[in-house]
Amino acid sequence: MALTSGRPGGALWLLRHELRLGWRGMGGKRVWLLVAGVTVLWAFLHFAAWLLLGFVAKKGLQQVPPVAIIGAGAVFWLFASIMVSQTVAHAVTALFDRGDLDLLLSSPLSPRLILAMRGLGIALAACFLPALLLLPFAHVGVVVGLPGFLGIYPVIFSLGLFAAAAGMALTMTLVRLFGARRAKTIAQISAAIIGAFFFLAMQAQNILPKAKREFILNWLSSETRPQGLLSSDSAMWWPVRAMVGDVLPLLVVLMVGAGGFWFVVNLAHRRFVTGTQEATGGGSTRKAAASGPARFRSGLVKILLMKEWKLLARDPQIISQTLLQVLYLIPLMFIGFRGDRNAWMIIPGFVVISAMLAGNLAWLTLAAEDAPELIGTAPVSLMRIRWIKALAAVLPVVAMLTPLVLWWLGHDPAAAVILLICCIGGMFSAAVCHIWNPRTGNRRDMKQRYRESKLTSILESTGSFGWAGMAYCLNGNWIWIPVPLFFIVLGPGSAWVFGRRARREGGLA
Amino acid sequence: MPDTDIAALKIHQLVKSFNGKVAVDSLDLDIPAGQFHALLGPNGAGKTTTLRIVAGLLKADSGSAAIFGHDVATDATSAKKVTAFLPDDPLLYGKLNALEYLEFVAGLWNISADTAEKRAEDLLKWLELWDNRAEYVEGFSRGMRQKLALAGALIHEPKLLILDEPLTGLDAHAARSVKDMLVDYVKRGNTVLLTTHILEIAERLAERISIIQKGRIVAQGTLDELRARAGEVAGGVAKGSDSATLEDVFLNLTEVR
């Protein structure tokens, strides 16, 4: 034990602590199933790498066309940006959400060591995905006579360090600029945006007007020619050259990664300490600005809706996570507004995404109620409160869809009506699963919610896919209507049956 | 019929078990209106379970509980209307400010906005939270949360106030003002039922004390009556003498059984 875990208080010991927490954050014991799946995938990837590299080895590395280097380089930067967005989110958690920092910083360990090991933990976690996908090439490279491919190992590690350093530096800069509280909001939202950026970029086809698209294509093809900004000799693609064993690029990549990490840790450990103290000290940075007399509203529906919306709007984590889903709606919206014949085809997509969004919000308003005891002791029927909460989840999504519905009403009224009916149907069917099969959750664990209540999420999607199918059938495919109808009834119906006991036990909202 | 003729709380043969483990065992308890009653017992005696059933948060396996004649199972809304329940660790909304929280609670109890505004201002000023009224609750200390939850319980002026371990986390000053408030509240004709570990609170405040153990009331009475009981049980003069504190009495009654 002592050998594997290192001296208590030492670097290895701390790192082990970080990795254990990270591992449990990923799901801990239940991850073994995932591990089995990943192993199979890994074996398959080795095979694929063997096919590809066998071909390269026969031809010789020099014969690889420059386009391949540019392509691989683009993929590399895609990975890098995804990793940075991951590490920003991760650093926010490590800085603000995990409760152990007070303990660590009050211990006699040096804050610099704590920060370095926490950063290393973040870096290793970020390495997971690229390691999974790229290491097979390193292994196969050795076998087929391309030992240079072992460069993938240091490049991935260096990339992880770099992403961790960038993530931490970004997070801490935000703390410095905006204070710990708002930094958290901004970091989470920007992580969501970075993550969604590539999705949107891939959807550029649908979003951009034709002239713009052609301009970008022309620019790309001219710059990727030799001597262009993005030509295969460009330093932009050095990481790729480093991965196949080019010495100079490899050294530079290592220096940038490890150096960047060392630099951030050394420069910032002081700020790290002040940042966390501000975040966990509980001292409200809000001045008591709104300090007028009490101005209350009355009416249960109004008050309950306002309360739910305030809680949703004030939680940065919820905003960043739902924002991601809203971003996926944008390309669909653009297709919708272009108003061609394909419009009918996107209605089911709208139904599914809006139902998912409403389902998530319904989980927040219904299952993740912060004060169930208060609701439970109030002299109002619990069912009435639950329905109002469901309404609080559905209305914001309806508001988002309204512009499109109105626009379509002028162009294709039938489509507009079907969109509205099926979206609202899908949203309520998702929300109803939470009303009829009540479970309690914590809004901090939004990411875990699918794992915790698998049943509810399955029922939710059953109903919403039913409504999506209904949207398809209503477009003249009448004969198939019984099929989606079956799923529409099956989802909420099962929630009703499965939730009997929880409803009878009652009490908590 | 004036309220004083009906018991503020009448519990009859209440039973609740969790996974076969009995938490409340045929419990009977009568609290007349206008009484300050303390429920005292060791950890796991069934105090909280009893209170949660009365508050409508749990359903009993059998037996009944009625608040001012309204059965908590069959006439829950009427029962809840006149009751406030303050759990030991009140869960509040971190992202609401103090005023917004009180507005929400007043809305749940259907108090008109005009009335609620006035009460909220009085309560917050009295609990010394008025200056913090625009801050999010997540920045509050434990004591401040406790006080805000208390303000929430009082904003709809319940006739029966049920408190599970109040005063935990309050500083001496705040605890004192809460105690004064509870005594004053009973003087105005309301009923208070509280559970506590802190014997001194029960001793000082409560007119009548019930000692609960293993889901049953094992002794009930005024402090003097309990002292006498404890004396009988212990069979000695010293333990039952006038000088015996509630702690002696409590230990005597709960240990012997």
Side-chain angles (χ1 to χ4, degrees):
Chain A
M1 191 69 185
L3 275 176
T4 52
S5 60
R7 180 180 54 83
L12 263 182
W13 178 86
L14 254 182
L15 184 62
R16 185 170 159 270
H17 171 74
E18 292 301 322
L19 293 179
R20 184 171 55 192
L21 290 178
W23 173 249
R24 290 188 183 164
M26 281 167 64
K29 287 175 189 160
R30 266 177 288 183
V31 162
W32 288 115
L33 244 162
L34 190 75
V35 168
V38 166
T39 312
V40 174
L41 180 71
W42 226 39
F44 173 75
L45 283 172
H46 274 89
F47 179 67
W50 181 71
L51 289 183
L52 191 70
L53 288 191
F55 183 70
V56 172
K58 220 180 285 172
K59 290 245 171 186
L61 207 52
Q62 267 54 49
Q63 296 300 308
V64 173
V67 167
I69 292 177
I70 295 171
V75 172
F76 173 87
W77 288 113
L78 171 72
F79 264 119
S81 68
I82 291 174
M83 281 166 78
V84 172
S85 86
Q86 255 181 1
T87 53
V88 168
H90 204 136
V92 169
T93 317
L95 262 170
F96 303 103
D97 283 347
R98 214 186 273 164
D100 66 344
L101 265 181
D102 279 357
L103 176 68
L104 283 175
L105 290 173
S106 66
S107 76
L109 302 183
S110 105
R112 187 181 312 195
L113 182 71
I114 294 170
L115 178 64
M117 288 305 127
R118 181 139 291 184
L120 208 52
I122 295 173
L124 288 179
C127 284
F128 178 74
L129 190 64
L132 179 77
L133 296 178
L134 293 178
L135 289 185
F137 289 89
H139 305 152
V140 173
V142 177
V143 175
V144 299
L146 295 167
F149 274 67
L150 280 176
I152 291 173
Y153 269 95
V155 170
I156 287 178
F157 185 59
S158 175
L159 177 62
L161 286 178
F162 178 77
M168 287 193 295
L170 267 173
T171 307
M172 282 180 293
T173 311
L174 290 174
V175 170
R176 194 175 142 94
L177 290 177
F178 303 104
R181 257 160 225 277
R182 266 175 300 171
K184 194 174 159 185
T185 316
I186 296 168
Q188 277 167 339
I189 290 178
S190 44
I193 289 177
I194 297 175
F197 176 77
F198 282 94
F199 174 77
L200 286 181
M202 279 184 266
Q203 294 297 320
Q205 272 244 79
N206 293 323
I207 298 172
L208 296 175
K210 198 160 178 259
K212 267 268 169 352
R213 266 183 284 162
E214 277 168 4
F215 172 76
I216 291 177
L217 275 178
N218 285 336
W219 181 79
L220 277 178
S221 60
S222 76
E223 289 300 337
T224 46
R225 284 190 202 110
Q227 274 85 51
L229 205 58
L230 303 174
S231 76
S232 61
D233 304 323
S234 160
M236 278 278 285
W237 316 130
W238 273 21
V240 178
R241 296 188 177 279
M243 278 195 241
V244 298
D246 264 9
V247 178
L248 181 65
L250 186 58
L251 285 178
V252 171
V253 166
L254 280 179
M255 258 170 53
V256 170
F261 187 78
W262 183 86
F263 183 72
V264 168
V265 167
N266 273 287
L267 196 75
H269 73 270
R270 224 171 280 280
R271 198 169 300 153
F272 172 73
V273 175
T274 47
T276 46
Q277 277 164 350
E278 198 186 332
T280 52
S284 178
T285 50
R286 266 164 62 105
K287 291 273 177 295
S291 47
R295 283 275 166 272
F296 284 5
R297 277 169 283 249
S298 37
L300 178 70
V301 178
K302 208 192 299 172
I303 285 184
L304 197 54
L305 287 181
M306 288 312 293
K307 170 244 172 194
E308 294 300 342
W309 287 339
K310 274 179 197 161
L311 291 181
L312 290 177
R314 288 173 186 175
D315 196 324
Q317 221 171 348
I318 291 165
I319 293 175
S320 66
Q321 276 163 34
T322 46
L323 198 71
L324 208 59
Q325 286 165 332
V326 174
L327 282 173
Y328 294 139
L329 266 179
I330 291 175
L332 283 183
M333 284 275 188
F334 274 100
I335 301 175
F337 278 118
R338 280 212 312 229
D340 46 25
R341 296 237 147 253
N342 297 335
W344 277 97
M345 299 307 298
I346 62 169
I347 296 180
F350 269 111
V351 173
V352 170
I353 294 178
S354 56
M356 197 164 72
L357 203 52
N360 278 343
L361 294 179
W363 180 82
L364 286 164
T365 59
L366 282 151
E369 164 65 43
D370 284 321
E373 276 142 348
L374 177 67
I375 305 283
T377 53
V380 189
S381 122
L382 210 54
M383 264 301 155
R384 181 151 178 248
I385 288 188
R386 288 200 185 126
W387 277 102
I388 300 173
K389 280 163 163 268
L391 195 65
V394 168
L395 284 181
V397 190
V398 172
M400 264 181 253
L401 292 174
T402 306
L404 186 67
V405 173
L406 290 179
W407 195 81
W408 271 7
L409 266 179
H411 290 71
D412 193 346
V417 170
I418 291 176
L419 174 74
L420 196 63
I421 290 176
C422 292
C423 278
I424 290 182
M427 287 189 276
F428 268 108
S429 127
V432 145
C433 293
H434 294 285
I435 296 179
W436 284 343
N437 187 18
R439 293 276 181 271
T440 47
N442 182 339
R443 62 176 66 226
R444 291 267 138 257
D445 304 332
M446 191 177 175
K447 276 189 208 149
Q448 258 92 29
R449 98 161 173 98
Y450 292 106
R451 218 176 296 147
E452 267 166 22
S453 54
K454 279 196 196 74
L455 180 70
T456 310
S457 14
I458 291 170
L459 297 180
E460 246 182 84
S461 9
T462 308
S464 63
F465 278 106
W467 280 100
M470 183 58 92
Y472 174 78
C473 292
L474 288 179
N475 180 25
N477 305 303
W478 307 101
I479 199 163
W480 296 104
I481 282 186
V483 179
L485 208 56
F486 172 73
F487 287 105
I488 287 173
V489 176
L490 181 69
S494 318
W496 194 83
V497 174
F498 289 124
R500 267 178 313 179
R501 180 138 176 273
R503 288 204 304 281
R504 204 171 43 238
E505 294 279 309
L508 301 183
Chain B
M1 190 157 49
D3 287 331
T4 42
D5 293 350
I6 314 172
L9 178 62
K10 190 175 179 63
I11 299 178
H12 181 65
Q13 291 289 304
L14 200 69
V15 177
K16 177 76 188 176
S17 48
F18 297 102
N19 304 322
K21 202 167 171 288
V22 178
V24 178
D25 185 8
S26 311
L27 185 135
D28 284 301
L29 182 64
D30 263 26
I31 301 177
Q35 191 175 77
F36 199 129
H37 199 105
L39 205 53
L40 208 63
N43 293 327
K47 294 178 304 235
T48 301
T49 307
T50 307
L51 293 196
R52 292 177 74 84
I53 293 172
V54 170
L57 292 170
L58 272 179
K59 290 218 168 25
D61 296 341
S62 66
S64 67
I67 297 172
F68 289 104
H70 306 291
D71 190 290
V72 296
T74 56
D75 191 8
T77 306
S78 309
K80 286 171 176 179
K81 211 164 234 160
V82 293
T83 313
F85 172 60
L86 199 62
D88 56 344
D89 186 12
L91 298 164
L92 303 169
Y93 302 97
K95 296 282 184 193
L96 290 186
N97 68 36
L99 274 179
E100 288 167 341
Y101 174 73
L102 293 182
E103 179 189 18
F104 178 61
V105 179
L108 286 178
W109 265 264
N110 198 20
I111 310 294
S112 82
D114 298 342
T115 318
E117 279 168 12
K118 175 96 189 40
R119 282 186 201 159
E121 190 169 334
D122 292 346
L123 282 167
L124 289 181
K125 279 183 177 156
W126 169 68
L127 289 166
E128 290 168 357
L129 287 174
W130 183 246
D131 292 336
N132 308 93
R133 64 190 180 281
E135 288 168 25
Y136 286 166
V137 172
E138 64 188 0
F140 279 20
S141 68
R142 184 172 160 82
M144 289 162 84
R145 282 164 191 261
Q146 201 88 4
K147 287 198 281 184
L148 180 61
L150 187 65
L154 292 174
I155 198 161
H156 52 90
E157 302 202 323
K159 290 198 284 182
L160 172 63
L161 180 57
I162 302 173
L163 307 106
D164 195 4
E165 302 281 348
L167 312 180
T168 27
L170 294 186
D171 58 41
H173 179 67
R176 180 59 177 272
S177 63
V178 168
K179 277 189 256 178
D180 290 348
M181 185 281 299
L182 290 178
V183 169
D184 182 58
Y185 197 68
V186 172
K187 270 190 196 138
R188 280 186 278 147
N190 299 298
T191 314
V192 169
L193 168 62
L194 59 77
T195 66
T196 182
H197 284 116
I198 309 168
L199 299 159
E200 181 263 338
I201 294 171
E203 195 168 348
R204 286 262 189 87
L205 300 177
E207 298 161 63
R208 223 172 153 76
I209 298 164
S210 292
I211 295 181
I212 181 172
Q213 195 186 22
K214 293 185 182 157
R216 286 168 170 272
I217 305 284
V218 294
Q220 195 187 75
T222 61
L223 183 58
D224 289 336
E225 288 168 5
L226 288 176
R227 274 186 191 134
R229 273 286 304 273
E232 285 165 29
V233 172
V237 189
K239 287 285 170 97
S241 71
D242 285 352
S243 62
T245 62
L246 187 56
E247 187 176 351
D248 299 327
V249 175
F250 176 74
L251 290 175
N252 245 318
L253 288 170
T254 52
E255 269 170 17
V256 170
R257 261 144 232 271

